[in-house]
Amino acid sequence: MRITKNSVVSFHYTLNDPEGNLLDSSAGREVFSYIHGGSMIVPGLEEQLEGRIAGDSVQAVIPAEKGYGEIDPQLLQRVPLDKFGGQQVEEGMQFQTPDHRVWSVLEVKDGEVTLNGNHPLAGVTLHFNVDITEVRDASEEELAHGHVHGPGGHHH
Ligand code: ZN
């Protein structure tokens, strides 16, 4: 069957940036599974998997706007170091604000901390290599729960 809305799709993938650096991969892990049409994966990949079948290998190049979005300059902020209440702040640290946004520390310099609240892959063109392993219809229960059950999904 072909991938269409409410298909449960399982695949292995590698994700590289345009320079060929590996960003993420399912190698050595369970397959990744999602319900097609539910915005569970980035929109550009969902578009390019539409109509594919199990066994297909898909090379998808996805611009940032259809991936994790463009970089929002308003989410690049400088905060005085003394706002951190004396705790150790170092480049690469991450923390979450009450709105669930994850911020990364880009730089600590001259008593100021530069923070990035964008997704780490915002602004990045995504190069996916996807090997589709299974395509099936979602069950009523999966659609009601909004997630996949069984391999690559929830176990409950
Ligand atoms: Zn469930």
Side-chain angles (χ1 to χ4, degrees):
M1 61 178 292
R2 294 190 177 276
I3 295 174
T4 186
K5 185 163 174 56
N6 295 338
S7 298
V8 171
V9 182
S10 299
F11 62 78
H12 277 292
Y13 69 95
T14 56
L15 171 59
N16 291 87
D17 69 13
E19 286 74 48
N21 298 306
L22 184 66
L23 300 174
D24 192 13
S25 168
S26 64
R29 286 193 268 150
E30 204 172 30
V31 292
F32 179 85
S33 297
Y34 77 101
I35 300 174
H36 192 78
S39 301
M40 293 167 75
I41 61 173
V42 296
L45 187 58
E46 195 157 53
E47 270 175 28
Q48 296 203 31
L49 292 179
E50 176 82 27
R52 303 290 187 150
I53 59 173
D56 277 0
S57 293
V58 180
Q59 279 84 46
V61 177
I62 296 165
E65 61 182 269
K66 289 192 170 181
Y68 292 98
E70 304 287 1
I71 290 175
D72 179 353
Q74 295 197 331
L75 295 176
L76 292 171
Q77 296 188 4
R78 288 188 182 192
V79 178
L81 185 56
D82 58 24
K83 292 261 187 196
F84 288 82
Q87 69 169 306
Q88 189 76 13
V89 181
E90 289 175 352
E91 188 183 320
M93 274 177 57
Q94 290 190 324
F95 58 91
Q96 207 172 18
T97 41
D99 60 357
H100 301 294
R101 184 170 294 285
V102 176
W103 297 82
S104 303
V105 176
L106 294 185
E107 192 178 43
V108 184
K109 195 178 167 191
D110 300 332
E112 272 195 332
V113 182
T114 306
L115 297 173
N116 181 13
N118 288 284
H119 188 283
L121 295 179
V124 177
T125 300
L126 307 172
H127 291 244
F128 274 102
N129 280 284
V130 171
D131 292 310
I132 301 166
T133 59
E134 191 188 358
V135 180
R136 63 173 171 82
D137 287 321
S139 68
E140 294 291 327
E141 195 184 41
E142 286 172 321
L143 292 176
H145 288 198
H147 57 227
V148 175
H149 293 161
H154 285 237
H155 300 272
H156 67 141

Short mmCIF file of all heavy atoms in Angstrom, two decimals, residues 21-86:
data_model
loop_
_atom_site.label_atom_id
_atom_site.label_comp_id
_atom_site.label_asym_id
_atom_site.label_seq_id
_atom_site.Cartn_x
_atom_site.Cartn_y
_atom_site.Cartn_z
N ASN A 21 27.77 16.37 7.34
CA ASN A 21 27.91 15.97 8.74
C ASN A 21 26.66 15.23 9.21
O ASN A 21 25.54 15.67 8.93
CB ASN A 21 28.11 17.20 9.64
CG ASN A 21 29.37 17.96 9.29
OD1 ASN A 21 30.45 17.38 9.24
ND2 ASN A 21 29.23 19.24 9.00
N LEU A 22 26.86 14.13 9.91
CA LEU A 22 25.74 13.34 10.42
C LEU A 22 25.09 14.07 11.60
O LEU A 22 25.76 14.39 12.58
CB LEU A 22 26.24 11.96 10.86
CG LEU A 22 25.16 10.99 11.33
CD1 LEU A 22 24.23 10.60 10.18
CD2 LEU A 22 25.78 9.75 11.94
N LEU A 23 23.79 14.32 11.50
CA LEU A 23 23.07 15.01 12.57
C LEU A 23 22.29 14.03 13.43
O LEU A 23 22.15 14.21 14.63
CB LEU A 23 22.09 16.03 11.98
CG LEU A 23 22.69 17.14 11.13
CD1 LEU A 23 21.59 17.98 10.49
CD2 LEU A 23 23.60 18.03 11.98
N ASP A 24 21.76 13.00 12.79
CA ASP A 24 20.93 12.04 13.52
C ASP A 24 20.79 10.80 12.65
O ASP A 24 20.92 10.87 11.43
CB ASP A 24 19.55 12.67 13.79
CG ASP A 24 18.73 11.87 14.79
OD1 ASP A 24 19.30 10.98 15.47
OD2 ASP A 24 17.52 12.13 14.90
N SER A 25 20.52 9.67 13.31
CA SER A 25 20.35 8.43 12.58
C SER A 25 19.61 7.44 13.45
O SER A 25 19.71 7.48 14.67
CB SER A 25 21.74 7.87 12.24
OG SER A 25 21.63 6.54 11.79
N SER A 26 18.85 6.56 12.80
CA SER A 26 18.19 5.50 13.56
C SER A 26 19.02 4.23 13.57
O SER A 26 18.58 3.21 14.09
CB SER A 26 16.80 5.21 12.96
OG SER A 26 16.96 4.70 11.64
N ALA A 27 20.23 4.28 13.00
CA ALA A 27 21.08 3.08 12.94
C ALA A 27 21.30 2.53 14.34
O ALA A 27 21.61 3.28 15.27
CB ALA A 27 22.40 3.41 12.28
N GLY A 28 21.12 1.23 14.50
CA GLY A 28 21.33 0.61 15.80
C GLY A 28 20.18 0.81 16.76
O GLY A 28 20.24 0.39 17.92
N ARG A 29 19.13 1.46 16.30
CA ARG A 29 17.95 1.67 17.15
C ARG A 29 16.75 1.01 16.48
O ARG A 29 16.80 0.57 15.35
CB ARG A 29 17.67 3.18 17.29
CG ARG A 29 18.63 3.88 18.20
CD ARG A 29 18.10 5.26 18.55
NE ARG A 29 18.58 6.30 17.65
CZ ARG A 29 17.91 7.41 17.34
NH1 ARG A 29 16.73 7.62 17.84
NH2 ARG A 29 18.41 8.30 16.52
N GLU A 30 15.64 1.02 17.21
CA GLU A 30 14.37 0.56 16.67
C GLU A 30 13.97 1.48 15.50
O GLU A 30 14.36 2.64 15.48
CB GLU A 30 13.32 0.69 17.79
CG GLU A 30 12.14 -0.20 17.66
CD GLU A 30 11.26 -0.16 18.92
OE1 GLU A 30 11.20 0.87 19.60
OE2 GLU A 30 10.62 -1.17 19.20
N VAL A 31 13.21 0.93 14.54
CA VAL A 31 12.73 1.80 13.46
C VAL A 31 11.93 2.95 14.05
O VAL A 31 11.36 2.84 15.13
CB VAL A 31 11.82 1.05 12.44
CG1 VAL A 31 12.61 0.04 11.65
CG2 VAL A 31 10.60 0.44 13.10
N PHE A 32 11.87 4.03 13.29
CA PHE A 32 11.04 5.18 13.66
C PHE A 32 9.67 4.99 13.02
O PHE A 32 9.58 4.65 11.84
CB PHE A 32 11.70 6.47 13.16
CG PHE A 32 10.90 7.69 13.47
CD1 PHE A 32 11.02 8.30 14.71
CD2 PHE A 32 10.01 8.21 12.56
CE1 PHE A 32 10.26 9.43 15.02
CE2 PHE A 32 9.24 9.34 12.85
CZ PHE A 32 9.38 9.94 14.09
N SER A 33 8.61 5.19 13.77
CA SER A 33 7.25 5.04 13.23
C SER A 33 6.43 6.28 13.53
O SER A 33 6.57 6.89 14.58
CB SER A 33 6.55 3.83 13.86
OG SER A 33 7.23 2.64 13.53
N TYR A 34 5.57 6.63 12.59
CA TYR A 34 4.70 7.80 12.80
C TYR A 34 3.41 7.60 12.02
O TYR A 34 3.32 6.73 11.15
CB TYR A 34 5.41 9.08 12.33
CG TYR A 34 5.44 9.24 10.83
CD1 TYR A 34 4.54 10.10 10.20
CD2 TYR A 34 6.33 8.51 10.04
CE1 TYR A 34 4.53 10.23 8.82
CE2 TYR A 34 6.32 8.64 8.67
CZ TYR A 34 5.42 9.50 8.06
OH TYR A 34 5.41 9.62 6.70
N ILE A 35 2.42 8.42 12.35
CA ILE A 35 1.14 8.40 11.62
C ILE A 35 1.18 9.50 10.57
O ILE A 35 1.33 10.69 10.91
CB ILE A 35 -0.06 8.59 12.57
CG1 ILE A 35 -0.10 7.47 13.61
CG2 ILE A 35 -1.37 8.64 11.77
CD1 ILE A 35 -1.16 7.65 14.69
N HIS A 36 1.07 9.12 9.30
CA HIS A 36 1.20 10.08 8.20
C HIS A 36 0.02 11.05 8.20
O HIS A 36 -1.12 10.65 8.39
CB HIS A 36 1.27 9.32 6.87
CG HIS A 36 1.68 10.19 5.72
ND1 HIS A 36 3.00 10.56 5.51
CD2 HIS A 36 0.97 10.78 4.74
CE1 HIS A 36 3.07 11.32 4.43
NE2 HIS A 36 1.86 11.47 3.94
N GLY A 37 0.34 12.33 7.96
CA GLY A 37 -0.70 13.36 7.89
C GLY A 37 -0.99 14.02 9.22
O GLY A 37 -1.86 14.89 9.30
N GLY A 38 -0.27 13.63 10.25
CA GLY A 38 -0.54 14.17 11.57
C GLY A 38 0.50 15.15 12.06
O GLY A 38 0.55 15.47 13.24
N SER A 39 1.35 15.63 11.13
CA SER A 39 2.41 16.58 11.48
C SER A 39 3.32 16.06 12.60
O SER A 39 3.75 16.81 13.46
CB SER A 39 1.82 17.94 11.91
OG SER A 39 1.04 18.47 10.86
N MET A 40 3.59 14.75 12.57
CA MET A 40 4.47 14.17 13.59
C MET A 40 5.94 14.23 13.15
O MET A 40 6.84 14.02 13.95
CB MET A 40 4.07 12.72 13.85
CG MET A 40 2.68 12.61 14.52
SD MET A 40 2.01 10.93 14.51
CE MET A 40 2.99 10.17 15.79
N ILE A 41 6.15 14.47 11.86
CA ILE A 41 7.51 14.66 11.35
C ILE A 41 7.54 16.00 10.63
O ILE A 41 6.49 16.61 10.41
CB ILE A 41 7.95 13.51 10.41
CG1 ILE A 41 7.04 13.42 9.19
CG2 ILE A 41 7.97 12.18 11.17
CD1 ILE A 41 7.53 12.41 8.14
N VAL A 42 8.74 16.47 10.25
CA VAL A 42 8.82 17.79 9.61
C VAL A 42 8.01 17.76 8.30
O VAL A 42 7.96 16.74 7.61
CB VAL A 42 10.28 18.23 9.36
CG1 VAL A 42 11.00 18.42 10.68
CG2 VAL A 42 11.03 17.27 8.46
N PRO A 43 7.34 18.89 7.97
CA PRO A 43 6.42 18.90 6.83
C PRO A 43 7.06 18.51 5.50
O PRO A 43 6.43 17.82 4.69
CB PRO A 43 5.92 20.36 6.78
CG PRO A 43 6.52 21.08 7.92
CD PRO A 43 7.37 20.16 8.71
N GLY A 44 8.30 18.92 5.27
CA GLY A 44 8.95 18.60 4.00
C GLY A 44 9.17 17.11 3.82
O GLY A 44 9.06 16.58 2.70
N LEU A 45 9.46 16.40 4.90
CA LEU A 45 9.66 14.96 4.79
C LEU A 45 8.32 14.26 4.59
O LEU A 45 8.20 13.33 3.78
CB LEU A 45 10.39 14.42 6.03
CG LEU A 45 10.79 12.94 5.94
CD1 LEU A 45 11.69 12.67 4.74
CD2 LEU A 45 11.49 12.49 7.22
N GLU A 46 7.32 14.72 5.31
CA GLU A 46 5.98 14.14 5.15
C GLU A 46 5.53 14.27 3.68
O GLU A 46 5.05 13.31 3.09
CB GLU A 46 5.01 14.86 6.09
CG GLU A 46 3.71 14.12 6.28
CD GLU A 46 3.00 14.48 7.58
OE1 GLU A 46 2.78 15.68 7.82
OE2 GLU A 46 2.68 13.59 8.36
N GLU A 47 5.74 15.44 3.08
CA GLU A 47 5.41 15.65 1.66
C GLU A 47 6.11 14.64 0.76
O GLU A 47 5.52 14.11 -0.17
CB GLU A 47 5.86 17.05 1.22
CG GLU A 47 4.84 18.12 1.39
CD GLU A 47 5.40 19.50 1.04
OE1 GLU A 47 6.32 19.58 0.20
OE2 GLU A 47 4.91 20.49 1.63
N GLN A 48 7.40 14.42 1.03
CA GLN A 48 8.18 13.59 0.11
C GLN A 48 7.95 12.10 0.32
O GLN A 48 8.33 11.28 -0.51
CB GLN A 48 9.67 13.95 0.21
CG GLN A 48 9.88 15.39 -0.25
CD GLN A 48 11.28 15.68 -0.72
OE1 GLN A 48 11.97 14.83 -1.25
NE2 GLN A 48 11.71 16.92 -0.51
N LEU A 49 7.33 11.74 1.44
CA LEU A 49 7.02 10.32 1.66
C LEU A 49 5.63 9.94 1.15
O LEU A 49 5.34 8.76 0.95
CB LEU A 49 7.14 9.98 3.16
CG LEU A 49 8.57 10.04 3.73
CD1 LEU A 49 8.57 9.71 5.21
CD2 LEU A 49 9.52 9.12 2.97
N GLU A 50 4.82 10.95 0.91
CA GLU A 50 3.46 10.72 0.38
C GLU A 50 3.53 9.84 -0.87
O GLU A 50 4.31 10.09 -1.79
CB GLU A 50 2.83 12.08 0.04
CG GLU A 50 1.46 12.03 -0.60
CD GLU A 50 0.33 11.86 0.42
OE1 GLU A 50 0.50 12.28 1.57
OE2 GLU A 50 -0.71 11.29 0.04
N GLY A 51 2.73 8.77 -0.89
CA GLY A 51 2.64 7.92 -2.08
C GLY A 51 3.72 6.86 -2.20
O GLY A 51 3.67 6.02 -3.11
N ARG A 52 4.69 6.85 -1.28
CA ARG A 52 5.75 5.83 -1.33
C ARG A 52 5.26 4.51 -0.75
O ARG A 52 4.22 4.46 -0.09
CB ARG A 52 6.98 6.32 -0.54
CG ARG A 52 7.53 7.63 -1.02
CD ARG A 52 8.18 7.48 -2.37
NE ARG A 52 8.86 8.72 -2.74
CZ ARG A 52 9.95 8.75 -3.51
NH1 ARG A 52 10.47 7.64 -4.00
NH2 ARG A 52 10.50 9.90 -3.81
N ILE A 53 6.05 3.47 -0.98
CA ILE A 53 5.67 2.14 -0.48
C ILE A 53 6.83 1.53 0.32
O ILE A 53 7.98 2.00 0.22
CB ILE A 53 5.30 1.17 -1.64
CG1 ILE A 53 6.48 1.02 -2.61
CG2 ILE A 53 4.05 1.66 -2.37
CD1 ILE A 53 6.26 -0.04 -3.69
N ALA A 54 6.52 0.49 1.09
CA ALA A 54 7.55 -0.22 1.85
C ALA A 54 8.61 -0.72 0.88
O ALA A 54 8.30 -1.21 -0.21
CB ALA A 54 6.94 -1.38 2.62
N GLY A 55 9.86 -0.59 1.26
CA GLY A 55 10.97 -1.00 0.41
C GLY A 55 11.59 0.16 -0.35
O GLY A 55 12.71 0.05 -0.83
N ASP A 56 10.85 1.27 -0.45
CA ASP A 56 11.41 2.45 -1.14
C ASP A 56 12.53 3.08 -0.31
O ASP A 56 12.45 3.11 0.93
CB ASP A 56 10.32 3.53 -1.33
CG ASP A 56 9.46 3.29 -2.56
OD1 ASP A 56 9.71 2.30 -3.27
OD2 ASP A 56 8.53 4.10 -2.80
N SER A 57 13.54 3.56 -1.02
CA SER A 57 14.56 4.41 -0.40
C SER A 57 14.35 5.82 -0.94
O SER A 57 14.22 6.00 -2.14
CB SER A 57 15.97 3.93 -0.76
OG SER A 57 16.20 2.68 -0.17
N VAL A 58 14.31 6.77 -0.04
CA VAL A 58 13.99 8.15 -0.43
C VAL A 58 15.13 9.06 0.01
O VAL A 58 15.52 9.06 1.18
CB VAL A 58 12.67 8.61 0.24
CG1 VAL A 58 12.33 10.04 -0.16
CG2 VAL A 58 11.53 7.66 -0.11
N GLN A 59 15.68 9.79 -0.96
CA GLN A 59 16.62 10.86 -0.62
C GLN A 59 15.85 12.17 -0.67
O GLN A 59 15.37 12.54 -1.74
CB GLN A 59 17.79 10.93 -1.62
CG GLN A 59 18.90 9.92 -1.35
CD GLN A 59 18.58 8.55 -1.96
OE1 GLN A 59 18.17 8.47 -3.10
NE2 GLN A 59 18.79 7.50 -1.20
N ALA A 60 15.73 12.82 0.45
CA ALA A 60 14.93 14.04 0.53
C ALA A 60 15.80 15.20 0.99
O ALA A 60 16.45 15.11 2.03
CB ALA A 60 13.77 13.83 1.49
N VAL A 61 15.83 16.25 0.19
CA VAL A 61 16.52 17.48 0.59
C VAL A 61 15.44 18.49 0.95
O VAL A 61 14.59 18.82 0.13
CB VAL A 61 17.42 18.02 -0.55
CG1 VAL A 61 18.08 19.34 -0.13
CG2 VAL A 61 18.48 16.97 -0.91
N ILE A 62 15.47 18.93 2.19
CA ILE A 62 14.36 19.73 2.72
C ILE A 62 14.86 21.08 3.21
O ILE A 62 15.69 21.15 4.12
CB ILE A 62 13.68 18.96 3.87
CG1 ILE A 62 13.08 17.66 3.29
CG2 ILE A 62 12.61 19.79 4.54
CD1 ILE A 62 12.71 16.66 4.31
N PRO A 63 14.36 22.16 2.58
CA PRO A 63 14.77 23.49 3.03
C PRO A 63 14.30 23.74 4.46
O PRO A 63 13.30 23.17 4.90
CB PRO A 63 14.09 24.44 2.04
CG PRO A 63 12.96 23.65 1.46
CD PRO A 63 13.35 22.20 1.52
N ALA A 64 15.02 24.61 5.16
CA ALA A 64 14.72 24.88 6.57
C ALA A 64 13.26 25.24 6.79
O ALA A 64 12.65 24.81 7.78
CB ALA A 64 15.61 26.01 7.09
N GLU A 65 12.67 26.01 5.84
CA GLU A 65 11.28 26.45 6.04
C GLU A 65 10.32 25.27 6.11
O GLU A 65 9.24 25.38 6.69
CB GLU A 65 10.86 27.42 4.94
CG GLU A 65 10.92 26.78 3.56
CD GLU A 65 10.56 27.75 2.44
OE1 GLU A 65 9.37 27.81 2.09
OE2 GLU A 65 11.47 28.39 1.93
N LYS A 66 10.68 24.13 5.49
CA LYS A 66 9.85 22.94 5.60
C LYS A 66 10.46 21.89 6.53
O LYS A 66 10.04 20.75 6.57
CB LYS A 66 9.61 22.34 4.21
CG LYS A 66 8.70 23.19 3.37
CD LYS A 66 8.23 22.47 2.14
CE LYS A 66 7.13 23.28 1.46
NZ LYS A 66 6.62 22.60 0.26
N GLY A 67 11.51 22.31 7.22
CA GLY A 67 12.15 21.45 8.20
C GLY A 67 11.83 21.98 9.60
O GLY A 67 10.68 22.02 10.01
N TYR A 68 12.87 22.45 10.28
CA TYR A 68 12.68 22.97 11.64
C TYR A 68 12.54 24.48 11.67
O TYR A 68 12.67 25.11 12.71
CB TYR A 68 13.83 22.50 12.54
CG TYR A 68 13.76 21.00 12.76
CD1 TYR A 68 14.53 20.13 12.00
CD2 TYR A 68 12.89 20.46 13.70
CE1 TYR A 68 14.45 18.75 12.17
CE2 TYR A 68 12.79 19.10 13.89
CZ TYR A 68 13.57 18.26 13.12
OH TYR A 68 13.47 16.90 13.30
N GLY A 69 12.26 25.07 10.49
CA GLY A 69 11.99 26.51 10.44
C GLY A 69 13.25 27.34 10.27
O GLY A 69 14.36 26.85 10.43
N GLU A 70 13.03 28.59 9.90
CA GLU A 70 14.14 29.53 9.79
C GLU A 70 14.55 29.97 11.19
O GLU A 70 13.77 29.82 12.14
CB GLU A 70 13.71 30.76 8.98
CG GLU A 70 13.17 30.45 7.59
CD GLU A 70 14.26 30.03 6.60
OE1 GLU A 70 15.44 29.97 7.01
OE2 GLU A 70 13.92 29.75 5.45
N ILE A 71 15.73 30.54 11.30
CA ILE A 71 16.17 31.06 12.60
C ILE A 71 15.39 32.34 12.91
O ILE A 71 15.30 33.24 12.09
CB ILE A 71 17.69 31.33 12.58
CG1 ILE A 71 18.42 29.99 12.55
CG2 ILE A 71 18.10 32.18 13.78
CD1 ILE A 71 19.91 30.09 12.40
N ASP A 72 14.79 32.38 14.09
CA ASP A 72 14.06 33.56 14.55
C ASP A 72 15.02 34.41 15.37
O ASP A 72 15.43 34.02 16.46
CB ASP A 72 12.87 33.11 15.41
CG ASP A 72 12.07 34.29 15.94
OD1 ASP A 72 12.49 35.45 15.76
OD2 ASP A 72 11.02 34.03 16.56
N PRO A 73 15.38 35.61 14.84
CA PRO A 73 16.36 36.44 15.55
C PRO A 73 15.89 36.84 16.95
O PRO A 73 16.71 37.12 17.82
CB PRO A 73 16.52 37.69 14.67
CG PRO A 73 15.74 37.43 13.43
CD PRO A 73 14.87 36.22 13.62
N GLN A 74 14.57 36.85 17.16
CA GLN A 74 14.06 37.22 18.49
C GLN A 74 14.36 36.14 19.53
O GLN A 74 14.23 36.38 20.72
CB GLN A 74 12.56 37.46 18.42
CG GLN A 74 12.21 38.66 17.56
CD GLN A 74 10.81 39.17 17.81
OE1 GLN A 74 9.93 38.39 18.16
NE2 GLN A 74 10.60 40.45 17.63
N LEU A 75 14.72 34.96 19.05
CA LEU A 75 15.08 33.88 19.98
C LEU A 75 16.58 33.80 20.19
O LEU A 75 17.08 32.84 20.76
CB LEU A 75 14.52 32.55 19.48
CG LEU A 75 12.98 32.48 19.45
CD1 LEU A 75 12.52 31.17 18.85
CD2 LEU A 75 12.39 32.67 20.84
N LEU A 76 17.30 34.79 19.69
CA LEU A 76 18.72 34.95 20.04
C LEU A 76 18.79 36.12 21.00
O LEU A 76 18.49 37.25 20.63
CB LEU A 76 19.56 35.24 18.78
CG LEU A 76 19.67 34.09 17.78
CD1 LEU A 76 20.31 34.57 16.49
CD2 LEU A 76 20.50 32.95 18.37
N GLN A 77 19.12 35.84 22.26
CA GLN A 77 19.03 36.88 23.27
C GLN A 77 20.29 36.95 24.11
O GLN A 77 20.95 35.94 24.36
CB GLN A 77 17.83 36.60 24.20
CG GLN A 77 16.51 36.68 23.44
CD GLN A 77 15.31 36.59 24.35
OE1 GLN A 77 15.43 36.55 25.58
NE2 GLN A 77 14.13 36.58 23.77
N ARG A 78 20.59 38.15 24.55
CA ARG A 78 21.69 38.35 25.49
C ARG A 78 21.11 38.70 26.85
O ARG A 78 20.25 39.57 26.96
CB ARG A 78 22.59 39.49 25.01
CG ARG A 78 23.39 39.06 23.83
CD ARG A 78 24.39 40.13 23.50
NE ARG A 78 25.13 39.73 22.31
CZ ARG A 78 26.22 40.32 21.88
NH1 ARG A 78 26.71 41.34 22.54
NH2 ARG A 78 26.82 39.90 20.80
N VAL A 79 21.61 37.99 27.84
CA VAL A 79 21.10 38.16 29.20
C VAL A 79 22.30 38.39 30.10
O VAL A 79 23.32 37.71 29.98
CB VAL A 79 20.35 36.87 29.64
CG1 VAL A 79 19.84 36.98 31.05
CG2 VAL A 79 19.20 36.56 28.67
N PRO A 80 22.19 39.37 31.02
CA PRO A 80 23.30 39.56 31.96
C PRO A 80 23.54 38.29 32.78
O PRO A 80 22.59 37.65 33.24
CB PRO A 80 22.82 40.70 32.86
CG PRO A 80 21.71 41.36 32.10
CD PRO A 80 21.09 40.30 31.25
N LEU A 81 24.82 37.97 32.97
CA LEU A 81 25.18 36.76 33.70
C LEU A 81 24.59 36.75 35.11
O LEU A 81 24.22 35.70 35.63
CB LEU A 81 26.72 36.64 33.74
CG LEU A 81 27.31 35.39 34.36
CD1 LEU A 81 26.80 34.12 33.69
CD2 LEU A 81 28.84 35.44 34.27
N ASP A 82 24.47 37.94 35.72
CA ASP A 82 23.99 37.96 37.12
C ASP A 82 22.51 37.59 37.24
O ASP A 82 22.00 37.36 38.32
CB ASP A 82 24.30 39.30 37.80
CG ASP A 82 23.71 40.50 37.08
OD1 ASP A 82 22.72 40.32 36.35
OD2 ASP A 82 24.25 41.62 37.27
N LYS A 83 21.80 37.50 36.10
CA LYS A 83 20.40 37.00 36.13
C LYS A 83 20.33 35.51 36.46
O LYS A 83 19.25 34.97 36.69
CB LYS A 83 19.73 37.21 34.77
CG LYS A 83 19.51 38.66 34.41
CD LYS A 83 18.09 39.09 34.70
CE LYS A 83 17.86 40.50 34.17
NZ LYS A 83 16.68 41.10 34.73
N PHE A 84 21.48 34.84 36.39
CA PHE A 84 21.48 33.38 36.59
C PHE A 84 21.72 33.01 38.06
O PHE A 84 21.93 31.86 38.38
CB PHE A 84 22.51 32.72 35.67
CG PHE A 84 22.08 32.72 34.22
CD1 PHE A 84 22.28 33.84 33.44
CD2 PHE A 84 21.45 31.61 33.67
CE1 PHE A 84 21.86 33.86 32.11
CE2 PHE A 84 21.03 31.63 32.35
CZ PHE A 84 21.24 32.75 31.56
N GLY A 85 21.70 34.02 38.91
CA GLY A 85 21.75 33.78 40.34
C GLY A 85 22.99 33.05 40.82
O GLY A 85 22.93 32.25 41.76
N GLY A 86 24.10 33.30 40.17
CA GLY A 86 25.37 32.74 40.65
C GLY A 86 25.64 31.32 40.21
O GLY A 86 26.71 30.77 40.48
#
